[in-house]
Structure formats: C-alpha cells, structure tokens
C-alpha cells in the first residue's frame, strides 16, 4: 500500500499561459465547483441553442474593440460558478491568420473569460446569469440607454491567451503568471 504525499503543486491553465504554485494545504481544502456535475451538458445545450445570441454577445462586447462586422462559430468552451470562457472567430482584414492547427487561415480567433455578476451555485442560477448577460448584449446592440444604472457595473471580461502579443512574454525556466494583457510577471512561488 502506498500513500501519496503532496509536496509541490504547479497549476497550468490556459494552454500554459496562466500558471501558479498552489499550496498543498489549499489544494486539500479545495472543494469541487458546484456546477461541475452538469456544466458540460449545459455548455453543449447553450452552444446548440444560443448561436444567434452568442453572435450578438460577441458584437456587443467586442465588436467595436476588434472592428468586427461578423463572427463565426461563437461558443462557450468552459463554465464554472464564476462565469464562462467564450470563444469566437472572425474574418481577418489583413488575411494573415492561423487556424487551431497552425495552418494559414483568413480568420482570427479570440477567447475571453466573461464573469457572472454573482456566483452561480446551481444550474438554475447559471442559466439565469447567462441569460442576463445575453439580455444585456441584446440591449446594447439595440442602442438602449441604461435606465437601471447597470453601466456602473459592466460585465467582467478578462482577455485570454489569444489576445497576448507573444513577443512580450519573457522566456524563462521559472513559472510566470500572465493576466489581462500584461507581458508577464516575475516568477511566483
């Protein structure tokens, strides 16, 4: 009989772009996300049922920043109680893009982390939080002013690896944490 004793934990996320050291005590005390049991099912349902809404969301929240005229294949790739990862592609104006497999493509791909305003602790709360974000996107696309004052609390959007300029990330044998578009921080312990 063997017993596994955890000494060091190095967490790698976002295709190796986001990393950090986790204390073994924090790891042992951690609990599973309450949405983990049904998150994949919910994501699959949304990706089939909400394509037009996801296109609207991409245009509302990222259209002006990226100069979008249309988006292709918008989809949710991950869901937890704090929000979801949202990925879409759009035609490149310069025609010099790359596909997921590294081949030349006329599309650019973006992935963002979109946070819920409040943690979703159940399937119903996750659906409600998603539909609130979709409603906000629809209102923004329709040009509605913000009569309820929600503009003071815009949705939380974090940029993902697809937004980073690879030349700004320093090469190092030590772990780096890259957040919201910066070029990397000093190694973390």
């Amino acid at each position: 009989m063997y017993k596994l004793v955890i000494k060091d934990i190095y967490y790698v996320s976002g295709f190796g772009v986001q990393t950090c050291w986790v204390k073994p005590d924090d790891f042992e005390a951690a609990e599973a996300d309450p949405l983990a049991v049904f998150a994949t099912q919910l994501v699959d349902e949304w990706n089939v049922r909400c394509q037009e809404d996801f296109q609207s969301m991409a245009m509302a929240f990222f259209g002006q920043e990226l100069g979008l005229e249309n988006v292709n294949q918008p989809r949710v790739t991950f869901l937890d109680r704090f929000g979801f990862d949202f990925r879409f592609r759009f035609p490149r104006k310069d025609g010099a893009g790359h596909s997921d497999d590294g081949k030349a493509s006329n599309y650019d791909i973006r992935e963002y982390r979109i946070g819920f305003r409040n943690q979703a602790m159940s399937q119903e709360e996750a659906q409600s939080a998603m539909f609130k974000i979709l409603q906000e996107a629809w209102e923004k696309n329709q040009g509605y002013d913000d009569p309820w004052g929600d503009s003071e609390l815009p949705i939380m959007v974090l940029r993902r690896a697809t937004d980073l300029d690879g030349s700004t990330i320093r090469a190092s044998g030590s772990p780096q944490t890259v957040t919201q578009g910066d070029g990397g921080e000093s190694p973390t312990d």
Side-chain angles (χ1 to χ4, degrees):
M1 183 99 161
Y2 293 94
K3 179 179 179 182
L4 181 64
V5 178
I6 299 173
K7 290 181 160 183
D8 294 315
I9 301 170
Y10 185 58
Y11 177 73
V12 179
S13 175
F15 301 103
V17 174
Q18 297 173 333
T19 63
C20 66
W21 287 98
V22 178
K23 296 177 185 172
D25 292 340
D26 292 343
F27 178 79
E28 289 179 18
E31 295 181 15
D33 188 88
L35 305 187
V37 175
F38 52 81
T40 301
Q41 174 190 356
L42 203 51
V43 166
D44 291 344
E45 288 175 16
W46 288 348
N47 284 333
V48 169
R49 198 167 32 113
C50 299
Q51 279 299 297
E52 288 182 29
D53 295 324
F54 289 165
Q55 289 177 1
S56 175
M57 182 171 57
M59 295 302 292
F61 299 137
F62 312 110
Q64 186 174 7
E65 173 188 343
L66 297 173
L68 300 177
E69 295 175 14
N70 61 36
V71 299
N72 298 51
Q73 302 175 346
R75 64 187 184 271
V76 172
T77 59
F78 180 78
L79 170 70
D80 63 23
R81 71 178 176 258
F82 299 111
F84 57 96
D85 293 353
F86 181 62
R87 182 180 174 105
F88 59 91
R89 69 182 201 164
F90 55 95
R92 291 184 59 99
K93 291 183 175 40
D94 62 6
H98 291 87
S99 63
D100 287 337
D101 60 5
K103 297 179 182 174
S105 170
N106 290 327
Y107 291 96
D108 200 350
I109 298 170
R110 290 290 191 268
E111 185 166 353
Y112 294 89
R113 176 70 180 174
I114 300 177
F116 295 142
R117 292 184 189 275
N118 298 303
Q119 287 186 35
M121 302 303 284
S122 69
Q123 184 170 355
E124 293 78 17
E125 288 179 7
Q127 289 174 321
S128 177
M130 171 59 83
F131 292 124
K132 286 177 184 177
I133 290 173
L134 294 175
Q135 177 68 28
E136 186 175 334
W138 182 86
E139 290 174 4
K140 186 172 181 177
N141 284 333
Q142 299 303 313
Y144 286 103
D145 289 332
D146 189 18
W148 294 286
D150 286 342
S151 63
E152 295 176 16
L153 295 171
I155 63 163
M156 182 179 68
V157 175
L158 300 176
R159 290 183 170 89
R160 305 298 285 185
T162 52
D163 289 315
L164 299 175
D165 175 2
S167 65
T168 62
I169 299 174
R170 294 186 310 267
S172 167
S174 302
Q176 294 181 358
T177 302
V178 179
T179 59
Q180 200 159 352
D182 70 8
E185 298 173 357
S186 58
T188 57
D189 290 337

